[in-house]
Amino acid sequence: MKCRRCRATAQVKLPSHHTGFCPECFDVFFSRQVAKAIKDHSMIRPGERVLVALSGGKDSLGLARELARQGHDITGLHVYLGIAGSSDQVLGKVDAFCQRESIPLQVASAPEEGLAIPLIKECLTRPVCAACGAIKRHLFNKAAMDGGFEALATGHNLDDETARLFANTLRWDDAYLADQGPVMPARQGFARRIKPLYRLGEYETAAYAFLAGIDHGTAACPYSPGASFTHHKELLAGLEERSPGAKLQFYENFLKRGRPAFEKAREAPPDLSPCLTCGFPTQRETCTVCAMREAVREAAC
Amino acid sequence: MKCRRCRATAQVKLPSHHTGFCPECFDVFFSRQVAKAIKDHSMIRPGERVLVALSGGKDSLGLARELARQGHDITGLHVYLGIAGSSDQVLGKVDAFCQRESIPLQVASAPEEGLAIPLIKECLTRPVCAACGAIKRHLFNKAAMDGGFEALATGHNLDDETARLFANTLRWDDAYLADQGPVMPARQGFARRIKPLYRLGEYETAAYAFLAGIDHGTAACPYSPGASFTHHKELLAGLEERSPGAKLQFYENFLKRGRPAFEKAREAPPDLSPCLTCGFPTQRETCTVCAMREAVREAAC
């Protein structure tokens, strides 16, 4: 197969686009997909400052590099989870990446916030993943608000997004279906959340990271060796194989004709008021993250 | 495994219900699922006459037998398609079934209506399946209206319904998603359409037909050897295997939380007026079926 743009030998094959590219032209293709996502959904307006959540994986580091290359004013944020034998290694990779790419890095430490994941895990009988997700979202948002960033970018790619959409659709979870999308607008106490990689699949983000020489973390979380949505991702990969482009169509058509129906039909979102402890908006007196912090403190006494 | 009701040896295993039954108790289970579907969705009101569309397959014949057993006032309708080497054999099976079960049978002949499927096929460049479906729906509905039947029952089962829902969802086809369900209410010129087998999967309807000794047609249509939605059915079977009950939940949750959103969001349905040729409601001057009839007539001249 020849590169679609320059007719050199294609090294990155993209069946979903019925095409392939040489490394240089793949880079152009990738940049254009990110730029199109940002433009189509007004993700970043001129002069806005963007905080990029850096887990240390291929997606988030690739996203940060690409946003910086496109001239956006970005700062990286890494949430240090305090998991022995894993968190320090990940922080090292994120730090080295940011130095190499000259991207300013902030680190929010879950242990310093009284939220070390191993301690949270001990307080729970269910898997820690949902709590860890809530803590990360809380610390990301806190950093964005405290630092005056207009947008908070995450590295969710097309496979993440379609697997989540598929799970929400199998349950017909109308509240989530009214909300899911590449942009979650800002509202009181929450920065705008954006997903500029939503048009690109995992294979594409992996190829980008590889070609850019990004040294990213690859180890699975020791607390969650099986990635979430694995079966749904396999199933969607089967659909994509039979019908290239099916994933992006599923997602784009949802945005055009699915989400608007659920937005129109939903009742008003619940009222939020400031958490009595941290001040961030919540539906309860004390937000779930502060409740977890309190549970850890009590367990330690 | 033992039968859930009587503790005899289970011969019909139903993973989606985490159970199994002996033949007698499976029969009870099957009847209850049909009765529940009818009751939950007010499919048939007391004293109403029901026309049952009989293709000659396991689903439609099993449905007719079960509705008759439950005391409903039913009449069978078979649409004779006029396909050489196939249609006569199917008609023979339907006729023998109705005699055995003492179910009155009406036959609508597509050739006598100027709609023989082989002639339609010759007039088309695309596959004939959509046209054949439109002709069958037209003749079913005409027979129901002409005969004063309140409801028209079809043998669509859970696998048919979930595969169709899945296809509509992958495309986020909002018009279809606002309409799909086990009941399509009557409206001017159209009888109520009901699907009393929607809670039962293909394995269950096949087991019912086998245990009831129903001699049904098994040959695929010679014009469409690959059944529609095959890949989607396989994919949903994979989901069901991992998570028994997933298909029924997908469908029931759609009815609870998916369809209402699309119904609420949709614009008013298009105005219909009587077809200038046959008088049945259509969006055009001449309905698609009359247009096909005209095309066949012209081709023959």
Side-chain angles (χ1 to χ4, degrees):
Chain A
M1 186 188 268
K2 288 188 189 294
C3 171
R4 181 167 71 178
R5 285 184 77 237
C6 73
R7 317 305 297 161
T9 302
Q11 286 182 43
V12 187
K13 287 175 189 161
L14 303 181
S16 63
H17 294 266
H18 303 281
T19 196
F21 291 109
C22 72
E24 290 72 25
C25 295
F26 173 72
D27 197 54
V28 173
F29 161 82
F30 190 95
S31 287
R32 286 187 179 165
Q33 293 295 320
V34 173
K36 178 170 169 55
I38 293 171
K39 183 166 172 248
D40 284 356
H41 296 276
S42 307
M43 289 183 179
I44 306 170
R45 287 155 210 158
E48 287 189 339
R49 294 173 60 234
V50 181
L51 189 64
V52 185
L54 299 179
S55 67
K58 67 188 190 317
D59 300 307
S60 62
L61 301 187
L63 170 63
R65 176 177 186 269
E66 187 54 37
L67 291 179
R69 281 174 79 201
Q70 296 193 14
H72 296 290
D73 178 357
I74 70 162
T75 296
L77 174 75
H78 178 67
V79 173
Y80 178 82
L81 299 171
I83 302 176
S86 150
S87 294
D88 289 302
Q89 192 191 11
V90 174
L91 176 58
K93 289 205 187 264
V94 172
D95 193 45
F97 166 83
C98 286
Q99 288 198 24
R100 184 184 112 164
E101 302 286 336
S102 304
I103 293 170
L105 174 65
Q106 294 184 7
V107 178
S109 166
E112 282 177 20
E113 294 273 346
L115 293 164
I117 301 301
L119 299 181
I120 301 284
K121 188 173 185 295
E122 276 177 29
C123 293
L124 296 174
T125 50
R126 57 182 196 280
V128 74
C129 309
C132 182
I135 289 168
K136 284 191 286 191
R137 281 192 299 277
H138 175 83
L139 295 177
F140 285 149
N141 187 58
K142 185 172 185 301
M145 299 304 288
D146 289 354
F149 292 90
E150 281 86 0
L152 173 56
T154 56
H156 293 97
N157 61 39
L158 181 63
D159 291 283
D160 301 326
E161 285 297 283
T162 50
R164 178 175 295 273
L165 174 59
F166 190 68
N168 288 338
T169 305
L170 280 183
R171 292 193 313 275
W172 291 99
D173 191 323
D174 46 354
Y176 282 111
L177 289 168
D179 258 350
Q180 195 186 341
V183 174
M184 173 89 79
R187 53 186 182 127
Q188 194 168 10
F190 295 102
R192 183 188 322 139
R193 294 215 303 261
I194 64 175
K195 299 169 186 167
L197 297 186
Y198 88 89
R199 300 181 56 84
L200 293 151
E202 244 160 42
Y203 173 76
E204 289 147 24
T205 58
Y208 180 84
F210 174 79
L211 294 170
I214 294 174
D215 178 24
H216 58 83
T218 51
C221 169
Y223 293 161
S224 158
S228 60
F229 299 133
T230 303
H231 179 67
H232 293 168
K233 283 187 178 175
E234 281 168 18
L235 190 151
L236 290 164
L239 271 180
E240 180 79 20
E241 203 180 312
R242 282 180 61 90
S243 163
K247 278 190 282 199
L248 188 57
Q249 276 172 40
F250 174 53
Y251 194 70
E252 293 274 33
N253 285 334
F254 164 72
L255 295 178
K256 254 184 253 163
R257 295 191 294 263
R259 196 177 68 177
F262 291 99
E263 282 180 304
K264 215 165 162 181
R266 83 163 145 200
E267 293 159 20
D271 278 340
L272 301 179
S273 54
C275 166
L276 293 179
T277 308
C278 73
F280 275 88
T282 174
Q283 292 179 45
R284 319 183 191 187
E285 287 202 341
T286 302
C287 74
T288 48
V289 172
C290 286
M292 284 192 265
R293 193 186 276 119
E294 188 55 33
V296 166
R297 200 180 293 140
E298 279 176 13
C301 292
Chain B
M1 187 189 269
K2 288 188 191 291
C3 171
R4 180 167 73 179
R5 287 184 78 236
C6 74
R7 316 306 296 158
T9 302
Q11 288 182 40
V12 188
K13 288 175 188 162
L14 302 180
S16 62
H17 294 265
H18 302 282
T19 195
F21 291 110
C22 72
E24 290 73 26
C25 295
F26 172 71
D27 197 53
V28 174
F29 162 82
F30 191 95
S31 287
R32 286 185 180 166
Q33 293 295 320
V34 173
K36 181 171 167 54
I38 292 171
K39 184 166 172 249
D40 284 357
H41 296 276
S42 307
M43 289 183 179
I44 306 172
R45 287 154 210 160
E48 287 189 339
R49 295 171 62 233
V50 181
L51 189 66
V52 185
L54 300 179
S55 69
K58 67 188 190 317
D59 301 307
S60 62
L61 300 187
L63 170 63
R65 177 176 184 269
E66 189 53 37
L67 291 179
R69 281 174 77 200
Q70 297 194 14
H72 296 291
D73 179 359
I74 69 161
T75 296
L77 175 75
H78 178 67
V79 174
Y80 178 82
L81 299 171
I83 301 175
S86 150
S87 294
D88 289 301
Q89 194 191 10
V90 174
L91 175 59
K93 289 206 188 262
V94 172
D95 193 44
F97 166 82
C98 286
Q99 287 197 23
R100 185 184 112 163
E101 301 285 338
S102 304
I103 294 170
L105 173 65
Q106 294 183 8
V107 178
S109 166
E112 283 178 20
E113 294 271 347
L115 293 163
I117 301 301
L119 299 182
I120 301 285
K121 189 172 184 294
E122 276 177 27
C123 292
L124 297 173
T125 49
R126 57 185 197 278
V128 74
C129 308
C132 182
I135 289 168
K136 284 192 285 190
R137 282 193 299 278
H138 175 83
L139 295 178
F140 285 149
N141 187 58
K142 185 172 185 300
M145 299 304 286
D146 289 352
F149 292 90
E150 281 86 359
L152 173 56
T154 56
H156 294 97
N157 62 39
L158 182 62
D159 291 284
D160 301 326
E161 284 295 284
T162 50
R164 178 175 296 271
L165 175 59
F166 190 69
N168 289 338
T169 306
L170 280 182
R171 291 193 313 273
W172 292 98
D173 191 323
D174 47 355
Y176 282 111
L177 289 167
D179 257 352
Q180 195 186 342
V183 175
M184 172 89 79
R187 53 186 182 125
Q188 194 168 9
F190 294 102
R192 184 190 318 138
R193 292 214 306 259
I194 64 175
K195 298 168 186 167
L197 297 186
Y198 88 88
R199 299 181 58 81
L200 294 151
E202 245 159 42
Y203 174 75
E204 289 147 24
T205 58
Y208 180 83
F210 174 77
L211 293 170
I214 294 174
D215 178 25
H216 58 82
T218 50
C221 169
Y223 293 162
S224 158
S228 61
F229 298 136
T230 305
H231 180 67
H232 293 165
K233 283 188 177 175
E234 281 169 19
L235 188 151
L236 290 163
L239 272 179
E240 180 79 23
E241 201 180 314
R242 283 179 62 89
S243 163
K247 278 189 282 197
L248 189 57
Q249 276 171 40
F250 174 53
Y251 195 70
E252 293 274 34
N253 286 334
F254 164 72
L255 295 178
K256 254 185 252 162
R257 297 191 293 263
R259 197 179 65 176
F262 291 99
E263 282 179 304
K264 216 165 160 178
R266 83 163 143 200
E267 293 160 19
D271 279 338
L272 301 180
S273 55
C275 166
L276 293 180
T277 308
C278 72
F280 275 87
T282 175
Q283 293 180 44
R284 320 183 191 186
E285 288 202 343
T286 301
C287 74
T288 47
V289 171
C290 286
M292 283 192 264
R293 192 186 276 120
E294 188 55 33
V296 166
R297 200 179 294 142
E298 278 175 14
C301 293

